Amino acid sequence: MIITLDGPAGAGKSSAARALAARLGWCYIDTGAMYRAVALVALERGLPLDDDAGLAALAEAIRIAFADGRVLVDGRDVSAEIRTERITQATRPVADAPAVRDAMKRLQRRMADGLDVVTEGRDQGSVVFPHADVKVFLTASAEERARRRHREEESRGCDTTLAAVLASQARRDEGDRSRPVGRLEPAADAIVIETDSLSREEVVERLAALVEARRGAGRR
Ligand code: C5P
């Protein structure tokens, strides 16, 4: 079975997806981390971020894997490095490149092949897994998303303000909504969950209930 979790930055997708996958014993695919990994290696190799074909070739050539909650590129743990602001910025042109998105789509489908998977991103239900068993679009107000991200960054020791987080989030939202391919939008058949007033546990409960309902429907 496949459950897709899409939505804007800060909607609580990653923590919910990780917890859901652990609870179900399923694989977890963090597709944002995959785009970040390509951006990291592109910078390391001095590849221009406007070289779409070069970036796509890079995306095809490196081996991205998830193991024990870590992100590995060719066996190297890049989990911390891909979360820096520098990589967040560099990921935008990488994720905007249609050829990279195409390579990622193929890779993500290969990763999920034959497995039970929770996959999380922007286009998982709309583009990559249009036949997913359960599609969810997680969202929250811009203020709530920024508050969560700010708390998270503070806990990682980053010195930043709520206003700065809100401004950077607004830029990312705009980019996510306006990219020509893989635009952030709920699939027509996605269930939208607004998480402002929900704890992470409540979100995971709802997701698990959707999976259970789908399994039940499959048995009938
Ligand atoms: O979710 P996260 O912040 O890690 O995503 C990193 C970047 O990758 C963002 O710029 C986001 O727009 C992009 N992305 C994407 N498609 C996905 C997942 C992430 O374009 N499926």
Side-chain angles (χ1 to χ4, degrees):
M1 267 181 87
I2 295 183
I3 175 166
T4 59
L5 282 188
D6 291 303
K13 295 186 305 290
S14 298
S15 56
R18 201 170 288 123
L20 180 69
R23 174 166 162 168
L24 297 171
W26 290 12
C27 299
Y28 164 51
I29 304 181
D30 175 353
T31 63
M34 296 172 73
Y35 285 100
R36 288 172 180 271
V38 175
L40 173 71
V41 179
L43 289 187
E44 286 175 347
R45 298 191 186 171
L47 191 67
L49 296 179
D50 58 359
D51 176 0
D52 290 17
L55 290 170
L58 179 66
E60 301 267 14
I62 60 176
R63 212 171 56 79
I64 304 173
F66 299 101
D68 302 327
R70 317 301 297 170
V71 184
L72 307 178
V73 173
D74 294 328
R76 172 168 65 114
D77 184 352
V78 297
S79 315
E81 272 172 280
I82 59 169
R83 303 286 163 203
T84 60
E85 185 55 30
R86 176 168 158 266
I87 298 301
T88 299
Q89 304 277 349
T91 304
R92 164 130 329 277
V94 172
D96 280 350
V100 174
R101 302 202 71 85
D102 212 45
M104 286 299 187
K105 179 171 73 181
R106 285 196 298 276
L107 181 55
Q108 289 155 8
R109 286 179 179 168
R110 271 205 306 276
M111 280 178 153
D113 194 27
L115 300 174
D116 289 320
V117 167
V118 179
T119 179
E120 176 231 320
R122 306 292 189 283
D123 60 346
Q124 297 299 286
S126 53
V127 175
V128 182
F129 298 105
H131 304 298
D133 302 276
V134 180
K135 297 183 189 179
V136 174
F137 192 83
L138 276 191
T139 186
S141 67
E143 293 71 23
E144 178 59 21
R145 291 190 286 121
R147 266 195 297 276
R148 289 177 188 166
R149 185 144 298 225
H150 184 230
R151 272 201 301 270
E152 192 183 299
E153 294 197 355
E154 275 188 332
S155 74
R156 275 195 272 128
C158 301
D159 182 20
T160 178
T161 64
L162 182 59
V165 173
L166 196 54
S168 135
Q169 175 183 283
R171 280 195 300 277
R172 283 225 280 163
D173 283 357
E174 184 46 33
D176 281 354
R177 277 194 295 261
S178 59
R179 74 164 52 96
V181 185
R183 196 174 301 125
L184 174 68
E185 59 186 358
D189 51 351
I191 296 154
V192 179
I193 301 181
E194 151 80 63
T195 68
D196 272 50
S197 58
L198 298 176
S199 67
R200 191 188 74 174
E201 289 68 30
E202 287 169 326
V203 173
V204 175
E205 276 308 321
R206 288 197 187 194
L207 298 174
L210 290 171
V211 170
E212 228 8 84
R214 184 71 177 83
R215 277 178 168 159
R219 280 195 291 268
R220 273 200 293 275

